[in-house]
Amino acid sequence: MSGARIFLNFIIDVQPGWVSRTDKALKGKGFRTRLTPPSTISALKAYEAGNPGEAVREVEELLASTPSWRALCVEHWMLVRKECPCQGAKACVESRNGQILHAYCREEGVVSYRVLNTKTPPSNLLNIPRSMFKICAEPPGLQDLTVKLLNILKTLASIE
């Protein structure tokens, strides 16, 4: 799976007055950011697929140093250079590590994977709502979110 990249898009709602400081901190950690007024920041970063704990540690450190956040959502996907696993279809699902793994075959030799936050696959595998691969939390739920994120990243890292 050489060259596999996991992309994480963090959507952070911060308290007014903390937007520019939080944006600067995110950019300092290598995130590409986009501001949505009045107080939401989207931050995108790619990680190597081989070390799922790195991304989770970075999220924990970032949020610990940003006491002003009110809510956080994480969207994820992984791009892998490999043949399409969907046997003639453009998209398919499989169960892996107790989670539903969605594969979408892009251009020749590139597959996008997501772990869906549902126990049953959707009927239309070509049009997955973003809410099905997004996890969210408020500050009291940060530990649950990081455990879920680590499980998602371990499942993605298990793809060969």
Side-chain angles (χ1 to χ4, degrees):
M1 190 175 60
S2 72
R5 309 276 289 162
I6 293 175
F7 294 85
L8 297 177
N9 186 41
F10 299 99
I11 301 139
I12 307 168
D13 185 33
V14 295
Q15 295 173 12
W18 283 81
V19 175
S20 62
R21 279 182 267 185
T22 304
D23 183 56
K24 192 177 290 187
L26 288 162
K27 286 180 178 172
K29 292 233 181 232
F31 286 89
R32 288 181 28 213
T33 63
R34 185 181 72 222
L35 303 176
T36 305
S39 60
T40 301
I41 302 170
S42 293
L44 176 69
K45 188 170 180 179
Y47 294 87
E48 293 296 323
N51 186 4
E54 173 194 356
V56 173
R57 261 190 314 282
E58 191 165 71
V59 172
E60 290 172 331
E61 289 170 9
L62 185 68
L63 294 176
S65 67
T66 309
S68 62
W69 71 281
R70 299 185 292 201
L72 168 74
C73 289
V74 182
E75 298 172 337
H76 67 277
W77 63 96
M78 182 172 81
L79 293 180
V80 181
R81 291 201 174 281
K82 66 181 276 186
E83 289 304 309
C84 181
C86 298
Q87 301 174 358
K90 187 96 169 142
C92 57
V93 293
E94 72 174 78
S95 180
R96 184 178 291 219
N97 299 338
Q99 299 175 313
I100 297 195
L101 184 63
H102 175 260
Y104 178 79
C105 304
R106 298 165 72 101
E107 66 266 9
E108 188 68 30
V110 178
V111 181
S112 174
Y113 288 95
R114 298 177 182 145
V115 175
L116 303 182
N117 59 10
T118 180
K119 294 296 178 201
T120 56
S123 56
N124 183 349
L125 297 179
L126 294 176
N127 190 15
I128 304 284
R130 290 175 77 173
S131 62
M132 292 194 87
F133 61 93
K134 181 190 305 186
I135 55 174
C136 297
E138 293 179 351
L142 178 60
Q143 186 172 358
D144 287 343
L145 181 126
T146 55
V147 168
K148 285 179 188 173
L149 182 58
L150 185 58
N151 287 337
I152 286 169
L153 297 178
K154 283 180 178 178
T155 297
L156 291 175
S158 75
I159 296 168
E160 298 158 3

